[in-house]
Amino acid sequence: AAALSVVLHTRNPFVPTFRSDVRIFLVKSAEKDGGAVAWFGGGSDLTPYYLVDQDIIDFHTHLKKMCDDHLTDDDNLSYRQMKQSCDEYFYLPARSEHRGTGGIFFDDVPATPNTYGFVREVARGWMPSWLPVVRKNGGREYTDEEKHWQCLRRGRYLEFNLLYDRGVKFGLADANPRVEGVMVSAPPKIAFDYNHVPEVGSEEERLLEILKTPKDWI
């Protein structure tokens, strides 16, 4: 097995957290000259703290074009399928909230020359899909209240990692886990307020509405 992942937590609350990974699993037959079978997994998604709708639309548009350009009907894989899988996977049932505004998520994809090309493009697309958002919003001014909201939402990010993420649970279940390596994707700073409720009509409330009921961005 081999994997490459990136999680970029941002200082500015108007720039979403970006997460993506690609991975391959290969199993060889115990029989001599028995061959091998391999499959891919991975994905790419955003976790915003304030909704800048066009940024989310542009991100999903990038992903859909990548899927359309590099997948065929024979791959039995599409942007819509992977977008739904992403929404379903990054979900906190105790909160009835999704972690972010989604992206794509795929697993158990048979390794073929074509799916290899697709997975390669997922990794190559990391910066082209995210850096435009950073350049656009990274210099925006923000208040202490907006920064605190970001930290509250990062608390949800950590909740998901510790309670539901399969990779984290697998990594910590080992008899001698690499705790630092497993936890490296955690946000650097979080906050928790008991029963925090956003102000009615606020941008914070608008974000929560989307996280509770995901939408099709394109």
Side-chain angles (χ1 to χ4, degrees):
L4 180 64
S5 64
V6 58
V7 180
L8 300 173
H9 293 292
T10 57
R11 180 178 293 109
N12 193 305
F14 291 100
V15 180
T17 288
F18 172 79
R19 186 219 64 89
S20 187
D21 75 302
V22 291
R23 54 191 182 273
I24 183 171
F25 298 88
L26 185 145
V27 178
K28 292 184 177 181
S29 171
E31 301 295 328
K32 185 176 180 181
D33 301 324
V37 62
W39 58 96
F40 293 116
S44 186
D45 62 271
L46 291 181
T47 301
Y49 309 102
Y50 287 93
L51 283 176
V52 182
D53 292 54
Q54 191 58 51
D55 293 342
I56 311 301
I57 292 170
D58 290 345
F59 180 77
H60 278 268
T61 299
H62 171 93
L63 294 178
K64 185 176 187 303
K65 184 178 187 304
M66 178 182 66
C67 295
D68 292 346
D69 289 347
H70 296 281
L71 293 172
T72 68
D73 291 341
D74 292 337
D75 297 317
N76 294 315
L77 205 60
S78 70
Y79 163 78
R80 295 295 174 191
Q81 290 172 309
M82 290 184 284
K83 196 270 186 186
Q84 181 177 346
S85 295
C86 189
D87 289 339
E88 292 173 352
Y89 181 76
F90 293 106
Y91 179 68
L92 292 87
R95 300 283 189 180
S96 298
E97 295 173 6
H98 297 261
R99 192 179 72 179
T101 49
I104 58 173
F105 180 87
F106 55 95
D107 214 354
D108 301 326
V109 175
T112 67
N114 198 59
T115 56
Y116 167 72
F118 167 70
V119 171
R120 182 180 58 192
E121 289 306 309
V122 171
R124 286 178 172 175
W126 287 352
M127 294 301 97
S129 67
W130 186 67
L131 279 182
V133 181
V134 179
R135 296 189 182 108
K136 178 181 175 182
N137 299 307
R140 287 183 63 171
E141 294 185 357
Y142 54 86
T143 65
D144 290 342
E145 290 76 16
E146 288 165 339
K147 183 65 179 180
H148 183 64
W149 171 252
Q150 180 192 40
C151 290
L152 289 174
R153 296 309 310 170
R154 281 179 169 178
R156 297 288 202 272
Y157 198 102
L158 185 60
E159 280 184 32
F160 176 84
N161 278 12
L162 294 176
L163 297 175
Y164 306 112
D165 186 76
R166 295 199 303 249
V168 171
K169 293 169 72 173
F170 176 80
L172 295 179
D174 189 78
N176 185 28
R178 292 189 313 109
V179 177
E180 297 300 318
V182 173
M183 294 298 295
V184 72
S185 65
K189 184 179 180 181
I190 69 167
F192 175 79
D193 290 353
Y194 181 80
N195 196 30
H196 180 85
V197 179
E199 181 180 344
V200 175
S202 66
E203 283 298 302
E204 293 84 357
E205 184 187 57
R206 187 167 82 92
L207 174 68
L208 275 186
E209 290 174 353
I210 292 294
L211 297 182
K212 288 182 177 295
T213 308
K215 61 180 289 185
D216 290 330
W217 292 97
I218 55 175

